[in-house]
Amino acid sequence: MVQRYLNFADYNRWANARLYAAAARLSPDEFRADRGAFFGSVCGTLNHLLATDRIWLRRITGTGEAPNRLDAQLFDTFKDLAGARAVEDTRITDLAASLTPELLLAPITYANMTGVQFTQPFWTVLDHLFNHQTHHRGQVHTLLTILGGPEAGPSLDLIARQREIDIARPL
């Protein structure tokens, strides 16, 4: 199971880098324009992903900054947001590298945004962390294709990463 989360952390970093490279082509106005997505804009959605990763990493590790809102606008500029994303992806990769089978099976107790406490197996929290990223990256991908056409959104398929690092090979 540890290798599974190392792979997900690698995929997460890779997918975020591809998505941010595509978003870097947007003008500042396009980046911040409300397009009707759940978090409004590319900027709003990428900020949400960063905010929630910080929240979960704070719950898991007890360290790092964590906003008190899921819609926190942590950064207004692409450059600042991209830099913070890279730092957070390193934190996620470092967390994955520290995992043990025992830790994955251990319970974790945390409070949600309204203060209600939950306890669940640690591995299920990690599954949520990575699944949540995938969900909202898909929303950003849609916004990119709306703004720039079908070629504006890069492939973010997990299988593409697996093929790139030679986990999946043609026969």
Side-chain angles (χ1 to χ4, degrees):
M1 276 182 69
V2 170
Q3 187 60 49
R4 166 189 168 107
Y5 296 105
L6 289 167
N7 290 340
F8 279 146
D10 172 72
Y11 166 74
N12 187 67
R13 179 193 299 268
W14 174 85
N16 283 336
R18 291 176 64 86
L19 194 65
Y20 271 77
R25 298 195 249 336
L26 299 175
S27 72
D29 288 341
E30 290 172 324
F31 181 65
R32 286 191 289 280
D34 188 333
R35 301 290 178 184
F38 193 82
F39 292 96
S41 63
V42 171
C43 181
T45 306
L46 292 176
N47 266 285
H48 168 70
L49 278 171
L50 181 63
T52 55
D53 281 353
R54 285 181 171 185
I55 290 165
W56 278 108
L57 287 172
R58 175 82 177 174
R59 289 171 181 165
I60 292 167
T61 68
T63 64
E65 299 176 38
N68 61 1
R69 295 173 45 124
L70 296 175
D71 63 351
Q73 193 72 19
L74 302 174
F75 299 96
D76 289 324
T77 68
F78 176 81
K79 181 181 176 184
D80 291 340
L81 187 58
R85 176 76 263 165
V87 169
E88 218 59 31
D89 285 345
T90 297
R91 289 185 68 211
I92 291 169
T93 300
D94 290 348
L95 172 66
S98 74
L99 297 174
T100 64
E102 296 78 22
L103 179 60
L104 288 170
L105 296 172
I108 182 172
T109 299
Y110 61 91
N112 71 5
M113 298 304 287
T114 63
V116 177
Q117 288 201 335
F118 296 88
T119 298
Q120 64 190 86
F122 184 59
W123 68 267
T124 63
V125 167
L126 292 177
D127 282 359
H128 168 72
L129 179 83
F130 291 116
N131 186 62
H132 182 259
Q133 277 275 344
T134 299
H135 168 69
H136 287 293
R137 274 193 301 259
Q139 292 176 334
V140 173
H141 190 281
T142 298
L143 294 171
L144 290 172
T145 59
I146 288 169
L147 290 163
E151 301 303 315
S155 173
L156 300 177
D157 287 339
L158 177 60
I159 197 73
R161 178 61 177 158
Q162 292 168 342
R163 290 172 182 160
E164 188 177 283
I165 62 173
D166 209 26
I167 290 175
R169 296 176 205 90
L171 297 177

